[in-house]
Amino acid sequence: MASVAVIMADPKQSEERLKHESVALTEEIDEGSSCDKIVGSSGALKKVLSLVSKVAPTDATVLITGETGTGKELVARAIHRRSRRSSRAFVSVNCAAIPRGLIASELFGHEKGSFTGALQRRLGRFELAEGGTIFLDEVGELPAETQIALLRVLQEHEFERVGGTRSIQTNVRVIAATNRDLQAAIAAGTFRSDLFYRLNVFPIDTPPLRKRREDIPVLVEYFVDHCARKVRKNIQRITKESLDLLCSYAWPGNIRELQNVIERSVIMCETENFSVDNTWLAQLLATEPKIPVDISE
């Protein structure tokens, strides 16, 4: 996640630059997934959407769990869009993608001179999300000291910038997500139980694709259309053989894996008929137990 270093002698110019950074970053965050949407009508997905509709109008903290690639950020964005905060920023942070030594600065900002390379004050993600929603993906990867700071935000609605001494009040809704077993992490001593209970006010579990197989045909159609538009190809039909192959695969990488396979197939496609090279999935299908397609699930 890129940060912007600013070296300016004039404090007023520096403050103005920080404001521009905040506005630009917020616009980038808001527009980042504008083309994504939740697709499907399976019973498992309807349960998730029902929970979304119930919790969205509130300010309750939400913990979204599920395997990798199940669309946890899409669920978080759906909650934000249906909330009273929808006109404000949605700020997404992948806690696993930021070096442990920088995560506190990324979330809460830092003061000039607080550490080597801190050439001036920098706004953190909580300040950028003020009035809106912050989405903490892979929250189970937070180091212990940052867990304490996050707990303070959830309890007291305040934090301090790294190197700062002034408490900053915050009005931000927190939505967290993880594919880890946080109860096991608590038992292992790597995740705080008090933080877990603060995050787990309203839990939502996103189902893996193998538990919503009836959604695969409509997902395939959606991704084929989306990817074909991106590469400017005219694809009119999806072959039955390819659809059967896609429906019979277990999709350990879930929707993200499905999207990647379809994007690759669209790029390789040279006719109006979409097809998947069965050798891409054949080895995996041969080594996995056969899972019958049951659309009544």
Side-chain angles (χ1 to χ4, degrees):
M1 194 169 293
S3 61
V4 179
V6 184
I7 307 174
M8 305 179 80
D10 187 335
K12 291 184 178 180
Q13 289 182 344
S14 178
E15 183 68 23
E16 189 65 24
R17 181 63 180 271
L18 280 170
K19 289 180 180 179
H20 285 306
E21 176 187 346
S22 173
V23 171
L25 180 57
T26 300
E27 290 175 348
E28 173 189 330
I29 290 163
D30 282 339
E31 295 172 0
S33 295
S34 59
C35 63
D36 293 332
K37 65 178 182 178
I38 298 174
V39 176
S41 59
S42 63
L45 185 61
K46 285 179 179 178
K47 289 179 183 178
V48 171
L49 296 179
S50 175
L51 292 173
V52 167
S53 66
K54 286 179 172 64
V55 77
T58 75
D59 273 339
T61 303
V62 179
L63 179 61
I64 306 172
T65 57
E67 297 175 9
T68 183
T70 52
K72 294 185 287 294
E73 182 167 347
L74 287 182
V75 172
R77 288 182 180 275
I79 293 170
H80 173 72
R81 286 173 182 151
R82 299 178 189 184
S83 73
R84 294 188 295 267
R85 299 172 180 266
S86 60
S87 62
R88 306 301 294 270
F90 176 96
V91 178
S92 178
V93 183
N94 187 324
C95 301
I98 303 169
R100 295 175 71 86
L102 297 178
I103 184 66
S105 171
E106 191 69 33
L107 291 177
F108 308 116
H110 63 250
E111 298 291 352
K112 178 180 178 180
S114 56
F115 54 85
T116 302
L119 302 176
Q120 78 154 55
R121 180 170 66 85
R122 182 175 185 272
L123 301 180
R125 298 282 160 158
F126 270 91
E127 286 178 90
L128 295 174
E130 181 63 23
T133 302
I134 190 166
F135 174 59
L136 303 177
D137 198 8
E138 304 300 346
V139 72
E141 304 301 322
L142 286 176
E145 60 274 15
T146 310
Q147 291 182 35
I148 296 172
L150 178 58
L151 182 62
R152 180 186 176 190
V153 170
L154 294 171
Q155 290 178 332
E156 310 295 337
H157 304 289
E158 64 181 27
F159 62 89
E160 292 176 4
R161 297 193 190 103
V162 175
T165 57
R166 181 174 65 89
S167 293
I168 299 173
Q169 294 293 313
T170 181
N171 173 24
V172 175
R173 183 185 197 166
V174 176
I175 302 177
T178 184
N179 60 14
R180 291 184 59 189
D181 182 345
L182 292 186
Q183 296 282 16
I186 291 170
T190 59
F191 200 82
R192 296 179 63 96
S193 59
D194 48 3
L195 177 58
F196 171 76
Y197 294 122
R198 284 286 180 176
L199 291 172
N200 199 42
V201 174
F202 196 92
I204 297 178
D205 185 54
T206 54
L209 192 51
R210 62 183 176 275
K211 291 188 177 179
R212 40 178 296 212
R213 288 180 175 274
E214 59 268 48
D215 288 336
I216 292 178
V218 68
L219 282 165
V220 171
E221 183 177 350
Y222 173 75
F223 286 134
V224 168
D225 179 68
H226 179 67
C227 294
R229 290 175 186 272
K230 279 173 46 177
V231 298
R232 298 181 179 179
K233 287 192 174 182
N234 181 26
I235 296 179
Q236 298 294 323
R237 287 171 292 279
I238 301 170
T239 66
K240 182 180 184 303
E241 294 77 13
S242 290
L243 188 58
D244 289 345
L245 178 64
L246 295 172
C247 287
S248 63
Y249 181 49
W251 298 110
N254 293 296
I255 297 173
R256 186 179 299 128
E257 183 185 9
L258 173 64
Q259 183 176 4
N260 291 343
V261 167
I262 289 176
E263 183 172 3
R264 180 173 20 160
S265 301
V266 168
I267 292 171
M268 295 296 294
C269 189
E270 296 179 350
T271 71
E272 293 185 348
N273 297 322
F274 172 84
S275 62
V276 176
D277 186 337
N278 59 14
T279 62
W280 292 347
L281 303 179
Q283 284 185 318
L284 291 170
L285 285 168
T287 58
E288 291 176 351
K290 296 298 182 182
I291 302 175
V293 177
D294 181 6
I295 62 172
S296 66
E297 193 175 29

